[in-house]
Amino acid sequence: MGSKLEGPSAPAVRRDPYEVLGVSRDSTDQEIKTAYRKLALKYHPDKNASNPEASELFKEVAYSYNILSDPEKRRQYDIAGFEALDSDSMDMEIDLSNLGTVNTMFAALFSKLGVPIKTTVSANVLEEALNGTVTVRPLPVGTSVSGKVDKQCAHFFGVTINEEQAQAGIVVRVTSSSQSKFKLLYFEQDASGGYGLALQEDSEKTGKVTSAGMFFLHFQVYRMDSTVNALAMAKDPEAAFFKRLEGLQPCEVSELKAGTHIFAVYGDNFFKTASYTIEALCAKSYEDTTEKLKDIEAQILRKRTELRQFETEYRKALARFQEVTNRYSQEKQSVDELLKQRDSIHCSFTVTKTANNSIISGSGSNMSNGSSSKIPNDDLKVESPGEDVSSEGKDKSTKKKWFNLNLKGSDKKCG
C-alpha cells in the first residue's frame, strides 16, 4: 500500500522504489543505474506525448532512483521507510528538451544565481545511442579534440586502449575555457549492438574553467554532487560546512578493459552551444599524480568521518556558548542596575533645599557643620568656634573697629 507525500517532486502515491525499478534489495549501484536508465527512456515524455500516464511513471522512476542512488537515503529507507526521508531534500532531474521557453528561462536564471539545477540527458540522445545510430569519432590516447556541441545534443568519441594501458589506468577529461555547462557521458556496449548510458559527470566550475573527468585507475574514485551541499546550506546555513563532503559519491566503474570505449560530451547550456576540449590520457605517464590522487581521496574520506564527529561536538559547544552568552548579558544588566542604584543613593546626601530655604551666597553668609545662619547686622559677625577665619578677614575687622572708636572720641572732645 502506498503512502502520500506532500513534496512537489514526488508522485502522489509512493511505491517501494525497489519495486518501481524492478530490482532486488541487494542490487548493486550499477544494476540500479541500468534499470533506471531503461525505464526513464521507456516512459520519457518525449516518446509518450499521447500517453499522460507515462509522465507520472517517469516521475515515479526518477523519484525512486533519487532514493536508491544515494547511499545515505537508501540506508535510511531500508531502515525506516519513507518516514525516514526528508521530502524537502528530494531533488529531481529535469530534461531541458521537455521544458517550454518560459520554464527554461527560469531554470537558467536560478542556475545563474548559483542554485544547482540537475538535468537529465535528452531521450532522443539516449535512444539514438541505444539504436547504435550515433556517429563516433576516434579519440586516440594522449590526444585532445576541441569542438562545440548544441544544447541537448552530444558528440560521441571512441577511445581504444590496449592491455598495457588498461592495466596502467585511463583518464578522460573535458574542460571549457568559456565556462560552458556540459556532461561527460560513458556508454557501455549493449547486447543489441547499441550503447547504454553507464556513467554521467556534470561539469563543475574549477577556477576559470568548467571541467568534468572520469578516472579508471583501479581504485575507488569519488565524484562530488554539489546539489547536496547546496540543499544543506539552504536548510541550515550555519551547519552547511559540515555537509560539504557529504556530496562525495563513489564512481560505479573504477577500471576499463582493453578495447574501444564510448564517451560523449553532452551540451547542457540552457540556450547556447557548449565549447569544450576532451582528452584521453594513460595514467602510466602520471604515476606520481595517480598516487597523490589516491592519497587525497583517502584523506578526504577520513576528514568526512571526522567532520561528522566534530559536528556533534560543535553543536554541544555552540549550545553551551549560547547559554554562557545569555548569562553574560543578564549579569551585565544586573551589574549596571546595581551601580545605578548606588549612584542614586550617593546623590541623596546633599544640602540642596527648596527655593525658599536656599543658602544665601556672598559676604553675609557663613556655613558650619552643614548649617547656615543669617546675620541681621551687617557690621557684626558671629563666628562659630570651629570656623576657620582668614587673617585678611581679622585685619579688616580690626581696622573697622579702630576707625569707629576714633570717630566717637573726637565727637566727645569737640562737644
Side-chain angles (χ1 to χ4, degrees):
M1 182 177 180
S3 58
K4 292 184 178 300
L5 176 70
E6 296 179 358
S9 61
V13 177
R14 297 177 296 183
R15 290 192 296 152
D16 178 20
Y18 292 101
E19 177 187 344
V20 173
L21 297 182
V23 296
S24 63
R25 286 185 172 269
D26 58 354
S27 297
T28 64
D29 293 340
Q30 186 58 43
E31 290 172 339
I32 292 173
K33 181 182 287 289
T34 300
Y36 163 69
R37 298 298 183 189
K38 289 181 178 180
L39 290 174
L41 184 60
K42 178 180 179 180
Y43 296 119
H44 200 284
D46 284 354
K47 299 182 62 179
N48 299 273
S50 59
N51 183 7
E53 294 182 1
S55 177
E56 294 303 318
L57 290 172
F58 179 79
K59 292 179 181 178
E60 185 179 41
V61 168
Y63 179 74
S64 299
Y65 178 70
N66 189 288
I67 296 173
L68 300 185
S69 62
D70 186 310
E72 182 60 22
K73 292 177 184 176
R74 183 179 180 180
R75 184 188 67 81
Q76 292 176 353
Y77 175 80
D78 289 344
I79 295 174
F82 288 111
E83 286 73 17
L85 301 174
D86 183 0
S87 60
D88 292 337
S89 67
M90 300 298 290
D91 53 326
M92 295 281 287
E93 292 184 348
I94 60 173
D95 181 2
L96 294 181
S97 63
N98 195 45
L99 291 179
T101 303
V102 175
N103 288 336
T104 302
M105 290 178 64
F106 274 112
L109 174 60
F110 280 114
S111 179
K112 193 72 173 178
L113 293 174
V115 179
I117 305 295
K118 295 187 72 173
T119 58
T120 187
V121 179
S122 168
N124 294 331
V125 171
L126 296 178
E127 186 173 16
E128 289 176 0
L130 280 176
N131 294 334
T133 58
V134 295
T135 300
V136 179
R137 301 169 59 185
L139 177 62
V141 175
T143 66
S144 63
V145 175
S146 298
K148 291 184 178 181
V149 59
D150 291 333
K151 59 186 179 70
Q152 290 86 59
C153 293
H155 287 175
F156 287 78
F157 298 90
V159 179
T160 302
I161 60 176
N162 56 36
E163 193 65 41
E164 182 182 0
Q165 292 170 332
Q167 289 296 325
I170 296 295
V171 175
V172 177
R173 294 186 69 248
V174 180
T175 58
S176 173
S177 57
S178 59
Q179 299 186 2
S180 297
K181 284 173 59 65
F182 59 86
K183 298 180 187 293
L184 173 59
L185 311 177
Y186 170 65
F187 292 83
E188 292 180 337
Q189 188 80 30
D190 192 84
S192 61
Y195 309 109
L197 182 59
L199 296 177
Q200 170 182 314
E201 293 289 341
D202 290 2
S203 60
E204 296 281 350
K205 187 176 180 180
T206 53
K208 296 182 179 181
V209 302
T210 51
S211 64
M214 293 184 181
F215 305 85
F216 308 95
L217 302 172
H218 300 278
F219 60 85
Q220 187 64 70
V221 178
Y222 295 81
R223 66 175 180 272
M224 181 63 74
D225 185 353
S226 59
T227 58
V228 174
N229 189 36
L231 290 169
M233 182 173 293
K235 189 174 181 180
D236 187 359
E238 293 185 356
F241 163 72
F242 296 103
K243 306 301 181 184
R244 286 188 63 183
L245 300 182
E246 293 300 323
L248 212 62
Q249 305 291 337
C251 296
E252 294 84 350
V253 182
S254 60
E255 60 183 75
L256 297 179
K257 295 181 179 180
T260 300
H261 299 273
I262 306 302
F263 295 86
V265 180
Y266 179 81
D268 210 23
N269 277 336
F270 288 98
F271 298 108
K272 59 183 181 180
T273 59
S275 302
Y276 68 89
T277 298
I278 182 172
E279 55 186 344
L281 307 169
C282 178
K284 186 176 182 179
S285 303
Y286 300 87
E287 291 181 354
D288 291 342
T289 306
T290 300
E291 287 301 317
K292 289 179 181 179
L293 176 60
K294 186 176 182 179
D295 179 63
I296 202 67
E297 292 279 38
Q299 290 186 47
I300 291 175
L301 286 179
R302 289 195 297 270
K303 181 59 67 176
R304 182 171 65 176
T305 302
E306 292 174 4
L307 281 180
R308 289 171 177 172
Q309 298 173 349
F310 177 55
E311 182 178 9
T312 302
E313 299 175 13
Y314 172 80
R315 290 188 179 278
K316 289 181 179 179
L318 183 62
R320 176 60 180 160
F321 171 77
Q322 291 173 341
E323 179 184 345
V324 172
T325 302
N326 291 337
R327 182 178 174 184
Y328 173 86
S329 299
Q330 294 172 358
E331 296 291 355
K332 182 178 183 299
Q333 183 178 359
S334 176
V335 169
D336 290 343
E337 182 62 28
L338 289 172
L339 292 176
K340 183 178 179 181
Q341 293 180 22
R342 180 174 179 268
D343 291 342
S344 178
I345 293 173
H346 283 175
C347 291
S348 298
F349 290 95
T350 178
V351 297
T352 304
K353 305 297 181 182
T354 58
N356 294 332
N357 298 322
S358 60
I359 300 174
I360 300 176
S361 59
S363 59
S365 65
N366 188 37
M367 181 172 66
S368 175
N369 292 331
S371 61
S372 60
S373 300
K374 186 175 181 181
I375 310 301
N377 190 348
D378 290 341
D379 294 336
L380 183 63
K381 275 193 175 182
V382 179
E383 299 176 1
S384 61
E387 185 178 8
D388 182 16
V389 183
S390 64
S391 59
E392 181 181 354
K394 289 182 178 180
D395 294 340
K396 185 176 180 181
S397 177
T398 303
K399 290 179 180 179
K400 187 174 182 180
K401 289 180 180 180
W402 174 82
F403 179 73
N404 289 337
L405 288 173
N406 288 340
L407 286 176
K408 287 179 182 180
S410 299
D411 290 342
K412 286 181 180 180
K413 290 180 180 180
C414 293

